[in-house]
């Protein structure tokens, strides 16, 4: 399987970000673990998949390196805010997050 991705860093955490808004991506826990593996995969603390959302500008799904899905991650939201743009609404399993970008940093 070939996937386009970005590698991003936010306050000490690193992320693999896959934009699946135009083309759906389905990953299972084993695939997430393989991508997150630092010796044989891309390597990351969390894998982030951006998807379309009916409730916001986009949906951010978050998987930990062990393959389990997380509700939210502030450092991942910082990275996604840079991609989504100032004022973007980001849907997470933990609720809605509003992006505010200040210069080169996102909060």
């Amino acid at each position: 399987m070939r996937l386009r991705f970005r590698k991003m860093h936010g306050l000490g955490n690193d992320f693999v970000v896959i934009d699946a808004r135009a083309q759906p991506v389905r990953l299972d826990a084993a695939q997430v673990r393989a991508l997150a593996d630092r010796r044989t995969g891309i390597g990351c603390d969390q894998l982030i998949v951006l998807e379309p959302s009916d409730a916001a500008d986009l949906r951010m799904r978050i998987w930990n390196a062990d393959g389990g899905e997380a509700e939210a991650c502030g450092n991942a939201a910082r990275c996604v805010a840079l991609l989504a743009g100032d004022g973007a609404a980001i849907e997470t399993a933990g609720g809605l997050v509003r992006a505010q970008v200040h210069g080169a940093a996102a909060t």
Side-chain angles (χ1 to χ4, degrees):
M1 162 186 0
R2 295 192 112 176
L3 293 173
R4 292 186 60 133
F5 67 90
R6 291 178 189 255
K7 183 84 180 249
M8 300 185 81
H9 300 266
L11 293 176
N13 295 117
D14 63 330
F15 308 97
V16 169
V17 182
I18 299 170
D19 190 343
R21 290 178 285 178
Q23 179 77 24
V25 172
R26 302 219 187 275
L27 298 171
D28 61 30
Q31 290 170 313
V32 170
R33 285 191 303 272
L35 289 169
D37 188 284
R38 294 190 185 280
R39 291 185 313 124
T40 59
I42 300 165
C44 63
D45 293 315
Q46 292 178 317
L47 177 88
I48 310 301
V49 177
L50 307 180
E51 298 177 336
S53 171
D54 293 329
D57 295 308
L58 60 97
R59 180 178 182 208
M60 173 176 70
R61 294 187 66 190
I62 305 160
W63 283 272
N64 292 320
D66 66 3
E69 194 164 356
E71 286 189 357
C73 173
N75 287 340
R78 292 171 57 84
C79 293
V80 172
L82 288 174
L83 299 175
D86 193 38
I90 303 168
E91 177 188 355
T92 72
L96 196 63
V97 175
R98 179 78 55 186
Q100 292 182 346
V101 178
H102 300 282
T107 60

